[in-house]
Amino acid sequence: MHIFTIHTFLSLTWAEWGSLLVIGGAVFAGLHKLLSNLVDNVLGPINNNLKRLNSSFEEWNQWHKQANKRFENGDKHFIRHDEQLKDHERRITNLEERK
C-alpha cells in the first residue's frame, strides 16, 4: 500500500480530503463567529465598565493628590500660626513681667 497515489493520499481519495477540508473550514468559521459574538456581546460591556472604572480611579487619584496638597498647605499655615501664637505668648509674658 502506497501513501501517495494519483487518486488517494493516506488512503483517502481527493474528494474525501476536499469534504474534510470544507467541513473543517465550516467548523472553524462557526467557532470564529461564536467567539467574536462572545467578545462583542459579553466581554465588550465588561471591557467598557472596566474602562469607566479605571477612569474613575484616575479621577479619584487626581482629587486625592489635590486634597493632599491642600492638606500640606494647611499644615504649613497651621505651623506658621502656631509659631506666631508662641511668639505672642512670649511677648505678652514679657510685658506682664515688666509691670
Side-chain angles (χ1 to χ4, degrees), residues 47-83:
N47 188 25
N48 291 337
N49 287 338
L50 288 175
K51 285 180 183 178
R52 284 194 334 223
L53 180 65
N54 190 25
S55 66
S56 296
F57 274 127
E58 288 174 0
E59 289 175 11
W60 187 83
N61 282 336
Q62 289 297 324
W63 177 84
H64 193 261
K65 286 178 186 177
Q66 291 174 354
N68 278 340
K69 286 180 184 178
R70 288 192 309 268
F71 177 74
E72 289 172 2
N73 288 337
D75 196 33
K76 290 176 185 175
H77 288 296
F78 178 77
I79 291 171
R80 191 179 77 228
H81 289 147
D82 188 46
E83 290 172 358

Side-chain angles (χ1 to χ4, degrees), residues 10-67:
L10 296 176
S11 72
L12 294 176
T13 64
W14 292 113
E16 291 169 338
W17 279 110
S19 64
L20 286 175
L21 183 65
V22 168
I23 291 170
V27 168
F28 284 122
L31 286 175
H32 180 267
K33 182 69 174 171
L34 179 69
L35 289 176
S36 67
N37 283 339
L38 176 73
V39 168
D40 291 341
N41 297 332
V42 176
L43 298 179
I46 293 172
N47 188 25
N48 291 337
N49 287 338
L50 288 175
K51 285 180 183 178
R52 284 194 334 223
L53 180 65
N54 190 25
S55 66
S56 296
F57 274 127
E58 288 174 0
E59 289 175 11
W60 187 83
N61 282 336
Q62 289 297 324
W63 177 84
H64 193 261
K65 286 178 186 177
Q66 291 174 354

